[in-house]
C-alpha cells in the first residue's frame, strides 16, 4: 500500500481528481513496489532493461478530492515470460475509489523489444505475486 | 477524427508520450465530438447536466513521440439510458498506436447521481452512434 | 521544508523534471505550510476565502531527475494587506536546484476580488514570515 | 501568435487554468516559433544541440477557463551568445490574461553545458528578434 495526498493541480473543475491522474498514481505505486521487490527503477534501466505499460483498465467508483490522503494497494496477479499483470485498488479509508489493472512488458533498452524477464527481476517479484 | 501535436511536456524519459496523457487526449477528442454533436460542453453543464468517466481501458501498441501529429478517431459504440460507450483509436498515418474505450455516465449536477440522458443530448449523439 | 520524490511522469525526454512541474511542487509545499500555519486549505475555502497566484518567477540552476528525493524549503518574505510573498528553494542534498518566488493574493470566493487577509489567516502566517 | 483551446484536465477546482500549465503553453508556442524560424525542434537535437529554460517569470492578470480559445503571442527580446530571451502574452480576444518571460540557454547534448549558438540557429531567429 502506497499512500499519497491529492495535489490541487491534479483536480479538475468538478473538484475531483482528473481521471488521467490515476495512471500517474498507479505508476508511483508500481515504482515503489519495484523498489521494495527488485530495487530502484533506474538500477534496472542502467542494466539495459526497461518495462512499459502494454494495457491498462480502470473502473471509477467514487471520486477522490483535493487534499484527500489516499492509498494505492497493489498486487501482482501474474508473472509471465516477459509480462507482469498487476491489480490496483485506490482506497480512502474503507472506501474503494478506483479499481484498475496494468500489464507491463519487460524490454531490452537496446532493441526496445520484449525480452525474457531477467532472473533477478523475477526473483524479486515472485514473493509479491498472488499465490 | 481529432488531430493534435504531441507536446514536449507530455513525453517521458523514454522519449514517448507518458501513458496517462492518452486519457487527456481521449478527453479532448470526446469534447470535440460533443461540440459537433450536442454543443459546447459548458452549455450542458450550465443546464445542470454533466458526464463523468466510469470506466476506461487502453491497449498501447506503439509509442507516439514529441512533435508527432496524431489523430484520435472515435465512434460511439452504444447509447444507454444514462451511459455512453465510446471507442478510440490513436493513429499516426496508417499506424494505430493506442486503442481504447471509455464509458461515460450522465449525471445531475445537483445530486451528482446518474440521470436519464436528456432528449437533446441523445438526439445530438444518435447520428454518431454505431449502426 | 517539504520533501517529495520525483515521479516518472513529471520528467521529460531530457530525463529531467519538466519546468512547469516545479510550479506544481511549489503549490504542494505552500499547501503544507498553510496546513501547519493556518489549517487545511479547504477549511479556508469553506469559510469563503481563497488565494490565487498573481506572480511567480523561477531560476533553474540544476536539474532534478526521476526518483530523486528533493526538498522544497520556503519562507514567507512579506505579508501585505491582501498579498503573501513567498520564496522557494528546491534542494537535493546540499545543492540548490531551483530558486523561485510566488505572490499569492487573498480573494473572496463570492466576488473573486482581493480582500483584506482575515485575522485568523494573518495570525497563522505571521510566525512564518521573515523577521 | 499560437492559438490553442484550453483542455478540461488543465483546469483546477477553481475552474481556471492551473498556473503551472501556462509554462506548458509557453513551451508549445516557443516550439512553433522555432519550427517557423529554425525548423523542427528534433532536427536541432539530432544535430547535437538542445536548449533548456534557465529562467522564467509570469504575471497572472485574469484567468483562462475550460474550452476558451487563447492565443500566445511571443517575441524574442534578445539573442545573446548562448541565450535567448523571449516575452509571452497569453490573450483571449483583446484581454491579456498572462504576461511572461523565458530565458533559454543553448547547450551541447554531449556535455549538457552552454555553447555558442550555432550560426543556423541565430540566422533563423534573428528576423524574429526585437529591433
Amino acid at each position: 500500500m502506497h499512500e499519497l495526498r491529492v495535489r490541487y493541480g491534479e483536480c479538475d473543475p468538478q473538484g475531483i481528481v482528473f481521471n488521467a491522474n490515476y495512471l500517474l498514481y498507479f505508476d508511483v505505486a508500481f515504482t515503489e513496489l519495484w523498489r521494495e521487490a527488485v530495487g530502484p527503477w533506474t538500477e534496472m534501466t542502467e542494466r539495459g532493461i526497461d518495462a512499459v505499460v502494454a494495457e491498462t483498465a480502470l473502473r471509477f467508483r467514487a471520486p477522490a478530492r483535493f487534499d484527500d490522503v489516499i492509498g494505492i494497494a497493489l498486487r501482482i496477479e501474474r508473472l509471465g515470460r516477459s509480462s507482469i499483470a498487476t491489480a490496483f485498488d485506490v482506497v480512502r479509508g474503507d472506501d474503494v475509489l478506483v479499481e484498475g489493472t496494468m500489464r507491463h512488458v519487460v524490454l531490452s533498452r537496446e532493441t526496445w523489444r520484449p525480452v525474457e524477464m531477467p532472473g533477478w527481476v523475477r526473483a524479486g517479484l515472485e514473493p509479491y505475486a498472488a499465490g
Side-chain angles (χ1 to χ4, degrees), chain A:
Chain A
M1 169 90 87
H2 179 74
E3 286 209 340
L4 55 82
R5 191 184 281 277
V6 172
R7 299 168 173 182
Y8 196 74
E10 293 164 353
C11 298
D12 68 21
Q14 288 172 344
I16 63 180
V17 173
F18 184 66
N19 57 65
N21 291 322
Y22 288 102
L23 289 182
L24 194 59
Y25 296 165
F26 285 8
D27 191 70
V28 169
F30 191 75
T31 300
E32 293 308 319
L33 171 66
W34 203 270
R35 188 187 318 283
E36 198 178 299
V38 182
W41 192 266
T42 49
E43 274 186 15
M44 171 179 60
T45 58
E46 282 160 15
R47 290 172 81 166
I49 297 293
D50 213 327
V52 295
V53 177
E55 286 180 277
T56 187
L58 301 98
R59 179 182 296 244
F60 303 98
R61 295 172 51 159
R65 297 180 182 283
F66 166 54
D67 221 34
D68 282 353
V69 174
I70 58 177
I72 300 126
L74 68 171
R75 60 189 178 284
I76 296 178
E77 294 285 2
R78 207 180 78 85
L79 282 178
R81 192 180 167 277
S82 64
S83 77
I84 306 160
T86 311
F88 298 78
D89 281 329
V90 180
V91 299
R92 186 183 50 215
D94 290 338
D95 296 324
V96 178
L97 307 180
V98 179
E99 296 167 309
T101 56
M102 273 189 162
R103 191 167 61 83
H104 284 80
V105 171
V106 177
L107 300 170
S108 155
R109 283 178 66 85
E110 214 173 311
T111 63
W112 292 103
R113 300 189 66 81
V115 292
E116 188 172 346
M117 197 180 303
W120 50 273
V121 172
R122 184 178 301 277
L125 295 177
E126 255 167 3
Y128 294 82

